[in-house]
Amino acid sequence: MTAAKSSSISLRAWPKEDKSRDSLQNLIACVNEQRGSFRNITEDSLEEEIRAAEVGDSDFNEPDTKILADDGQESKAKSEEVATARERILEHVAQARMESAQTLDFVSLLVSKHVPKATETTLSPYVRENLPPGSLCVETIQQSQKSEAEKHNEELVTFGWRMQSLGNAADSLLELATRLEQEVERETKYWEGVLAVKDEGWPLCHLPGERRTLGVRFGSAEGTSPELRNRGTAALRRDEDGAVMLDRGPGSSDSMLRICISRKGKPGLSSQESVSTEILSAHDCLLDQELQHEMLREARSLVNQNVRCLGNTIIIPLEPDEQISIELEPLSQPHDSDDSDLPNALLLALRLLLCHAHRQSIHRRSQPPPSIQDTPIPRPLYSILRPIVELLQHRSALNDAHKFLTSISRVIKSLRMYEVSFTASQESSTLDLSTLLSKNADTSIPAQEALINALTRAHQSIIEMDFPSHQMKLRLDISTNILSPVFGTAFTATVMKFPSDSVVADMPKLQTFSLLSKVEKHILQLLTQDLMLTLISNPVIMNDWVIRGPYENKLVRKGQRAGEDVIEINLSRVSLEIIWEIAGTKDRMKWTGEEELEKGQGIIEFIKSLTD
């Protein structure tokens, strides 16, 4: 038992580390206790103290006693001042409390005569014990009698105050009437402006965030960007004069499309439009911003057509040394205006195509929805740039073909033979606007729809060409489609008429090319064959000459060995060159379309002079 009492087991838990010891509050308290205040602690003093501790100087291990003594005296004086102020405040509070209690007892004792039960809780215990209720009373002292003169003076004063009050009331009513009249005029002017906006065809609505605010919707509901859709509504607020003020909210910007045609990197013709009214300006700015957004999305799919995006600028190739730049510019930014038709026409066509895409989107939404699928159906890209790129490529190819045929016709004409004639028929997409509208005047299709159909349909043109011998005829079909499988402009050359006994009969009658240079080479080859057929068909000058082969441009005599009596004809788009070797004599002659053969002779007379 004694051993049991002497041995004891402690069941107390192991002490835990006090986490609050390293808290910021404890650290600040320790610094104040050791250093007195943060005011005396600087980075330089701490560095000096660390260096002194490393060296072993004990003077820096303790704070300056003089500074500590000054701080102690200062803190003591502040403490005494705070204590004195506290006592003074407490005295004032006690005095105010005593005066309010006495006032409450006085009023309660005065009221206790008439309502004794109401004052039982408000009287202090001392007053309730020593003074009975109702012991304090109030009586009205009879006023002294006034003379007639005093009464008359009081009546005059009363009448004067009454007249002054009535005058002030009348002035206030007149001022209110004037303000009401002005307010009615402003309201009338505001609602007349609202009705004018409605008569112009703009739909009115309530703002989503402000149901009591009237607004106007000038943006399209088919916009793909939520940010642009939200900007399509603006509040119709009233200014100080009562006029309608369009409040488009924060983040709205006045910027419109600018189309610039540059040549070899130098800016050229430009187009930038503005409108007179503020709503039309906001509508056009929002339309151009949405148009820029959709064109940037579509331009990424037209990289194979050399359409590039440099930031927010879209660059479309026009000619080998020309390009079209489309970008947004603020209306306040100055620009060089030019009376060019192409930039204005392109800007108008882009806006029409965007509106056409909106109508197609409305038509798709009006159709029955497809079945529910696991993956959402991607929204198709608006076809805005594709018709413009196709039209520009087609017009460029057609113009290049016309230039080539005109140049080669000039060369053939200088030979004083039969001329090369060609006719071109164009689809409505390549006609000018006046011709297109005149053709559409007799139909019931609106002009806008006719223009959209002309822009979006397949672009095709036909060129028929008669050769100098009138024995051959060529048809050239030019079609442009930047989608699969063409991805550009295709040239289809068809030999419609040819001599059955000529070497042309062995050549392919239908060939399709993707480059105009190959088409030019094919046409030059056919023209060379036709020219040689015309020469050998004349028995007077070249009765004993034949064409060496179906794909060759050389004439040789019958029965001659190779390398003797050869006439080679090289035809290009700008010149004709004849190289001959007859009777051991070699020479050449070259002509361009700007000059004729010497001595006014045609090529037939010139070849006759060689073969004689």
Side-chain angles (χ1 to χ4, degrees):
M1 185 66 87
T2 304
K5 289 182 178 180
S6 61
S7 61
S8 61
I9 300 175
S10 177
L11 299 179
R12 184 178 300 173
W14 189 265
K16 296 183 179 179
E17 185 180 359
D18 189 6
K19 297 183 179 180
S20 63
R21 185 179 59 183
D22 298 334
S23 63
L24 181 61
Q25 183 177 2
N26 290 337
L27 292 176
I28 293 175
C30 292
V31 172
N32 288 332
E33 183 178 356
Q34 293 177 4
R35 304 289 178 175
S37 175
F38 281 95
R39 181 180 56 186
N40 302 322
I41 302 175
T42 60
E43 184 178 359
D44 297 336
S45 62
L46 292 176
E47 291 179 355
E48 291 179 2
E49 185 176 348
I50 292 173
R51 288 194 297 268
E54 293 177 355
V55 174
D57 192 353
S58 61
D59 294 338
F60 289 90
N61 295 333
E62 296 180 0
D64 194 349
T65 56
K66 184 177 180 180
I67 297 176
L68 292 179
D70 294 340
D71 292 341
Q73 294 177 2
E74 185 179 356
S75 61
K76 184 178 180 181
K78 288 184 178 180
S79 300
E80 293 177 357
E81 184 180 355
V82 170
T84 304
R86 180 176 179 275
E87 292 178 359
R88 190 180 299 110
I89 291 173
L90 292 177
E91 289 177 0
H92 288 300
V93 171
Q95 183 178 358
R97 182 178 181 183
M98 182 179 62
E99 292 178 356
S100 61
Q102 291 177 358
T103 304
L104 180 61
D105 290 338
F106 175 77
V107 175
S108 300
L109 187 60
L110 185 63
V111 177
S112 64
K113 180 176 179 61
H114 304 283
V115 189
K117 292 185 179 182
T119 59
E120 293 180 357
T121 57
T122 57
L123 286 172
S124 62
Y126 178 80
V127 175
R128 193 184 303 114
E129 293 176 0
N130 296 281
L131 294 176
S135 58
L136 187 63
C137 183
V138 179
E139 294 182 357
T140 304
I141 301 175
Q142 186 177 2
Q143 298 180 357
S144 60
Q145 296 294 331
K146 297 181 180 180
S147 62
E148 294 296 331
E150 292 177 351
K151 291 181 179 179
H152 182 68
N153 291 335
E154 289 183 356
E155 290 179 358
L156 290 177
V157 172
T158 303
F159 181 77
W161 278 106
R162 190 176 300 168
M163 291 300 296
Q164 184 179 0
S165 300
L166 291 176
N168 294 335
D171 294 340
S172 299
L173 290 177
L174 290 176
E175 183 180 357
L176 290 176
T178 304
R179 290 176 55 187
L180 182 60
E181 183 180 1
Q182 294 176 356
E183 185 69 19
V184 170
E185 291 178 357
R186 286 193 291 264
E187 282 292 324
T188 303
K189 185 177 181 180
Y190 171 75
W191 288 108
E192 287 178 354
V194 172
L195 290 177
V197 171
K198 184 179 179 182
D199 293 340
E200 291 177 0
W202 300 106
L204 303 179
C205 62
H206 291 283
L207 293 184
E210 305 176 22
R211 301 300 301 173
R212 295 187 178 183
T213 303
L214 191 64
V216 59
R217 185 181 299 277
F218 52 84
S220 175
E222 301 301 321
T224 58
S225 176
E227 181 180 358
L228 294 177
R229 282 200 302 268
N230 296 334
R231 294 181 186 176
T233 305
L236 295 176
R237 305 191 187 276
R238 192 189 72 181
D239 60 5
E240 297 179 356
D241 298 332
V244 179
M245 180 180 63
L246 190 67
D247 185 8
R248 297 168 60 186
S252 59
S253 59
D254 293 335
S255 57
M256 302 185 71
L257 278 180
R258 178 176 179 266
I259 298 180
C260 176
I261 301 177
S262 59
R263 179 183 296 270
K264 293 183 179 180
K266 298 180 180 179
L269 309 179
S270 62
S271 171
Q272 188 179 26
E273 296 183 355
S274 61
V275 291
S276 58
T277 63
E278 191 174 359
I279 296 180
L280 283 176
S281 177
H283 171 267
D284 288 352
C285 291
L286 187 64
L287 183 68
D288 284 357
Q289 291 172 10
E290 182 181 358
L291 182 59
Q292 177 78 353
H293 174 74
E294 295 298 334
M295 287 192 300
L296 286 174
R297 294 180 66 246
E298 186 185 7
R300 299 185 183 96
S301 62
L302 299 177
V303 181
N304 58 342
Q305 303 299 323
N306 294 327
V307 178
R308 296 176 296 162
C309 295
L310 299 179
N312 291 329
T313 304
I314 302 173
I315 298 178
I316 303 175
L318 181 61
E319 296 291 343
D321 57 346
E322 293 182 357
Q323 63 182 12
I324 300 175
S325 301
I326 306 175
E327 59 183 343
L328 279 176
E329 278 193 358
L331 290 178
S332 58
Q333 182 174 348
H335 62 281
D336 298 331
S337 60
D338 198 294
D339 298 333
S340 175
D341 294 333
L342 182 57
N344 294 326
L346 289 177
L347 184 58
L348 178 61
L350 291 174
R351 291 174 176 173
L352 289 176
L353 289 172
L354 178 61
C355 297
H356 177 65
H358 286 168
R359 289 193 295 271
Q360 287 183 333
S361 178
I362 294 175
H363 177 71
R364 285 194 300 267
R365 290 194 295 108
S366 63
Q367 301 300 318
S371 58
I372 300 177
Q373 301 179 1
D374 296 336
T375 58
I377 300 177
R379 185 183 61 83
L381 293 174
Y382 285 168
S383 181
I384 300 176
L385 287 178
R386 185 183 64 81
I388 300 298
V389 173
E390 286 184 352
L391 179 60
L392 293 177
Q393 288 187 4
H394 187 78
R395 291 177 66 91
S396 177
L398 189 61
N399 292 336
D400 292 342
H402 272 274
K403 291 179 182 178
F404 166 73
L405 294 178
T406 304
S407 176
I408 198 65
S409 299
R410 189 181 302 112
V411 174
I412 297 298
K413 183 179 180 180
S414 66
L415 302 179
R416 304 187 67 178
M417 292 180 60
Y418 302 103
E419 298 182 359
V420 176
S421 61
F422 62 92
T423 57
S425 62
Q426 305 175 15
E427 295 293 334
S428 59
S429 59
T430 57
L431 298 176
D432 55 14
L433 185 59
S434 58
T435 306
L436 179 63
L437 294 180
S438 62
K439 286 188 174 183
N440 191 64
D442 300 333
T443 62
S444 60
I445 302 177
Q448 181 180 359
E449 293 295 332
L451 182 58
I452 291 297
N453 294 335
L455 289 174
T456 55
R457 71 176 56 177
H459 304 287
Q460 295 181 354
S461 297
I462 300 174
I463 299 178
E464 294 183 355
M465 179 179 177
D466 289 331
F467 285 76
S469 64
H470 296 286
Q471 298 181 6
M472 293 179 59
K473 187 176 183 180
L474 179 68
R475 170 175 171 172
L476 182 62
D477 296 304
I478 304 175
S479 60
T480 305
N481 185 7
I482 64 175
L483 299 179
S484 177
V486 180
F487 296 109
T489 303
F491 304 88
T492 302
T494 305
V495 181
M496 303 174 59
K497 180 182 177 182
F498 57 92
S500 58
D501 56 345
S502 65
V503 294
V504 182
D506 299 332
M507 301 174 62
K509 306 305 181 295
L510 178 64
Q511 297 188 44
T512 302
F513 307 94
S514 59
L515 297 176
L516 183 61
S517 58
K518 295 183 178 180
V519 179
E520 295 178 359
K521 184 179 180 181
H522 179 68
I523 294 177
L524 290 175
Q525 184 179 12
L526 293 177
L527 277 173
T528 304
Q529 296 291 329
D530 183 78
L531 181 59
M532 291 189 297
L533 286 175
T534 304
L535 293 175
I536 63 177
S537 62
N538 192 335
V540 178
I541 59 173
M542 303 190 74
N543 188 22
D544 53 348
W545 291 77
V546 294
I547 301 176
R548 175 176 291 184
Y551 296 100
E552 296 189 17
N553 56 343
K554 295 181 180 181
L555 297 173
V556 296
R557 288 184 185 271
K558 296 180 181 179
Q560 295 289 331
R561 295 190 301 272
E564 297 182 358
D565 295 347
V566 178
I567 298 177
E568 180 179 353
I569 300 176
N570 296 324
L571 180 64
S572 65
R573 63 180 301 169
V574 295
S575 63
L576 173 70
E577 184 181 21
I578 298 178
I579 304 174
W580 66 89
E581 183 180 355
I582 300 176
T585 303
K586 296 182 179 180
D587 202 351
R588 65 177 60 199
M589 184 69 70
K590 185 177 182 180
W591 298 274
T592 63
E594 303 297 333
E595 58 186 15
E596 296 183 355
L597 296 178
E598 58 179 357
K599 298 180 182 181
Q601 294 180 343
I603 190 174
I604 296 179
E605 290 79 2
F606 181 78
I607 295 295
K608 183 178 179 182
S609 64
L610 292 178
T611 56
D612 289 343

